[in-house]
Amino acid sequence: MADPQPLILVKRDPDGVASVTINRPKSLNSLTRPMMVDLARAFRGLGADGSVRAIVLSGSGRAFCSGVDLTAAEDVFKGDVKDPETDPVAQMERCPKPIIGAVGGFAVTAGFEIALACDILVAAKGAKFIDTHARFGIFPSWGLSQKLARIIGPNKAREVSLTATPLTAEQAERLGFVNHVVEEGQLLKKAREIAEAIIKNNHDLVLRYKSVINDGFKLDLGHALALEKERAHEYYNGMTKEQFKKMQEFIAGRGSKKPAARL
């Protein structure tokens, strides 16, 4: 008998786009402890893989991720939850590569938190984001209590979390944490298009840009601007004359008919 498919699927395409799929469709992609460890390992590995330039995260079947498998709640919540090496959200936040989340169906509680750990989100029509921490007596530990308020404002975040009311894909787009809402059949295509647009750019600068946005978002504006300035100086001071020449050639080549070499 053939081995069952892994519950976390990882695929690397030759162009530099990798895909991670939560693959437990019969349980609406609810997460067991071993799945969390595998998901964390997947992002750690892709982050360190020089051939990977962008990552698309999705769920198989009718859900993105319906949260933690509560039949194993004690194992999950009383385990070594503070270990960042086995924490998928911690590893997503540490991952230097841009992560595009493709959300179809339900993103519930821990699944909502995993969605919020993506850098860019595409949602299918009919997708729903639900925070059920308060309903089931689960204390948030993957960032939902802090991130959502910073993205959509504290009043709206309190309503979403304290009432456990679903947010539709369209509401999520209006509130600014979903980038695009598409037909269900177009979900992975749209996520892939975004990844392909990213990988056409200067890879080093993409990594640095993601980092300065994400790191600066945690600071007040004054300190964030200082961080940008500091990293800009570091970047330019580290460039050789040859790199400056290439940059100038690239910019000059944009207006010519022949394509300029990529930096």
Side-chain angles (χ1 to χ4, degrees), residues 216-239:
F217 194 65
K218 297 167 189 167
L219 306 172
D220 64 79
L221 183 59
H223 286 99
L225 289 169
L227 176 74
E228 181 196 64
K229 192 72 77 182
E230 181 187 315
R231 292 194 187 176
H233 283 307
E234 182 187 296
Y235 177 68
Y236 291 121
N237 287 342
M239 280 176 72

Side-chain angles (χ1 to χ4, degrees), residues 3 6 9 27 36-37 56 60 82 112 118 120-121 123-125 166 178 187 199 202 218 220 235 237 252 255:
D3 287 339
L9 297 172
S27 301
M36 291 180 191
V37 173
V56 174
S60 59
K82 289 184 180 174
F112 196 161
C118 296
I120 295 167
L121 277 180
K125 288 179 180 175
V178 160
L187 180 63
I199 65 173
N202 179 313
K218 297 167 189 167
D220 64 79
Y235 177 68
N237 287 342

